[in-house]
């Protein structure tokens, strides 16, 4: 798919207009993220809202250049992606053919342009391929301490990490499709690798989790006991990495937990 420099500039301008519309919707809903003002930290919400606006039929009537991003038999699919940007931070963006489109380019540094379009090969974007790589980015970017998931060991083969922020709020990571795929494609070897590397969480974090988990005694995946390592080995033997229905059970169990504890 060829995009000329002139088209690239027109696309940036049109997407910036959609981004302004997205900001009017999102800023009142998400004024802060971890104490930082919008748009900082809101790349997923912004990417998803701009994508929604882009896919509306009226978008390419208002901005005809956007029609080249719409999938046809002659044109490739515009895909939403999440991954690493230069292993410095996580980023939600879009990709079409060999082009990288970031409509939330200012969510780490608010002084940068809202929209950036460039050849994918020059973007520095890549898929995250291991939980060690995920941890390497998460610590400095999110400013968190990382621990092995000993509080819900039956979830640990899919969600092996407990993140603890500066305010001592904690959550399981990483609850997205991309990292669940890393767990399953590695046959739970990548989660086991990071579990063996990380320390156990401090007692006060465990206590907070136990208080919450006591309210979910009926959900066995949240309350089963044992070691995270043993569950990784068990799930590999049971070939749970091939079991999409079990993966869905894990996600449903996780969804009963608060976003932060």
């Amino acid at each position: 798919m060829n995009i000329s420099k002139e088209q690239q500039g027109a696309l940036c301008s049109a997407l910036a207009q959609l981004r302004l519309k997205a900001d009017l919707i999102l800023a009142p809903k998400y004024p802060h993220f971890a104490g930082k003002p919008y748009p900082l930290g809101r790349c997923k919400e912004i990417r998803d809202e701009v994508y929604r606006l882009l896919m509306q039929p009226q978008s390419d009537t208002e901005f005809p250049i956007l029609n080249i991003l719409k999938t046809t038999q002659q044109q490739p699919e515009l895909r939403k992606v999440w991954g690493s940007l230069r292993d410095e931070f996580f980023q939600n963006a879009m990709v079409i053919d060999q082009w990288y489109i970031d409509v939330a380019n200012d969510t780490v540094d608010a002084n940068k342009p809202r929209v950036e379009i460039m050849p994918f090969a020059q973007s520095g974007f890549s898929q995250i391929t291991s939980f060690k790589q995920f941890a390497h980015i998460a610590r400095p970017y999110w400013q968190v301490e990382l621990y092995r998931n000993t509080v819900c060991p039956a979830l640990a083969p899919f969600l092996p990490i407990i993140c603890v922020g500066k305010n001592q709020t904690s959550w399981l990571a990483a609850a997205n499709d991309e990292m669940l795929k890393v767990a399953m494609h590695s046959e739970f070897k990548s989660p086991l690798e990071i579990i063996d590397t990380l320390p156990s969480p401090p007692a006060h974090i465990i206590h907070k989790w136990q208080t919450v988990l006591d309210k979910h005694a009926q959900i066995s995946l949240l309350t089963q006991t044992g070691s995270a390592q043993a569950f990784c080995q068990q799930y590999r033997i049971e070939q749970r990495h091939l079991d999409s229905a079990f993966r869905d059970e894990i996600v449903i169990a996780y969804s009963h937990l608060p976003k932060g504890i």
Side-chain angles (χ1 to χ4, degrees):
M1 178 182 182
N2 293 319
I3 300 178
S4 68
K5 283 193 174 182
E6 183 179 357
Q7 288 175 317
Q8 194 174 336
L11 270 177
C12 274
S13 178
L15 288 170
Q17 291 299 313
L18 290 190
R19 168 62 195 278
L20 288 173
K21 292 183 178 183
D23 287 343
L24 291 173
I25 296 167
L26 296 174
K29 291 174 64 177
Y30 304 109
H32 297 94
F33 178 81
K36 297 177 287 188
Y38 181 90
L40 298 178
R42 293 296 180 184
C43 61
K44 182 180 189 302
E45 291 84 357
I46 291 170
R47 188 276 314 273
D48 288 351
E49 184 60 26
V50 172
Y51 183 90
R52 185 188 71 80
L53 293 169
L54 172 62
M55 290 301 145
Q56 292 179 345
Q58 63 266 33
S59 69
D60 47 298
T61 303
E62 189 175 2
F63 307 106
I65 188 66
L66 295 177
N67 192 50
I68 69 173
L69 301 181
K70 304 292 181 77
T71 302
T72 68
Q73 288 185 337
Q74 291 76 38
Q75 291 173 193
E77 178 188 7
L78 179 68
R79 297 181 292 112
K80 295 192 285 187
V81 295
W82 173 88
S84 160
L85 203 59
R86 299 181 296 274
D87 271 5
E88 295 175 10
F89 48 86
F90 304 119
Q91 186 68 358
N92 289 272
M94 294 182 275
V95 169
I96 185 166
D97 198 24
Q98 78 273 25
W99 291 93
Y100 173 83
I101 301 173
D102 185 356
V103 295
N105 189 51
D106 57 340
T107 55
V108 173
D109 180 353
N111 294 313
K112 294 177 71 175
R114 288 182 174 90
V115 177
E116 185 174 63
I117 300 175
M118 65 176 64
F120 185 86
Q122 299 174 17
S123 68
F125 182 89
S126 64
Q127 298 295 321
I128 294 174
T129 59
S130 72
F131 281 93
K132 276 196 168 182
Q133 182 186 9
F134 174 89
H136 172 75
I137 301 167
R139 277 193 186 94
Y141 179 46
W142 287 346
Q143 297 184 6
V144 292
E145 297 295 332
L146 304 181
Y147 303 95
R148 70 177 70 171
N149 176 8
T150 61
V151 294
C152 296
L155 300 189
F158 294 85
L159 300 160
I161 299 171
I162 298 175
C163 299
V164 180
K166 289 185 175 181
N167 63 356
Q168 296 302 296
T169 297
S170 59
W171 62 94
L172 300 184
N176 59 42
D177 287 341
E178 290 82 1
M179 293 311 298
L180 294 175
K181 287 177 183 175
V182 169
M184 296 176 78
H185 289 170
S186 73
E187 300 181 18
F188 307 112
K189 292 175 184 175
S190 185
L192 180 60
E193 183 180 41
I194 196 67
I195 287 167
D196 283 340
T197 302
L198 296 175
S200 295
H204 72 279
I205 295 295
I206 295 174
H207 176 74
K208 286 168 65 176
W209 275 84
Q210 195 57 57
T211 300
V212 170
L213 294 172
D214 285 345
K215 301 173 184 176
H216 298 289
Q218 76 282 7
I219 304 174
S220 63
L221 282 171
L222 297 183
T223 57
Q224 288 181 55
T225 58
S227 76
Q229 293 94 330
F231 275 105
C232 288
Q233 293 160 359
Q234 176 187 330
Y235 290 176
R236 186 182 311 128
I237 292 169
E238 294 173 350
Q239 295 195 320
R240 295 294 196 178
H241 56 283
L242 304 175
D243 190 344
S244 59
F246 185 68
R247 178 246 191 223
D248 292 345
E249 289 179 35
I250 293 287
V251 172
I252 291 169
Y254 167 81
S255 70
H256 286 86
L257 297 171
K259 295 296 183 184
I261 293 175

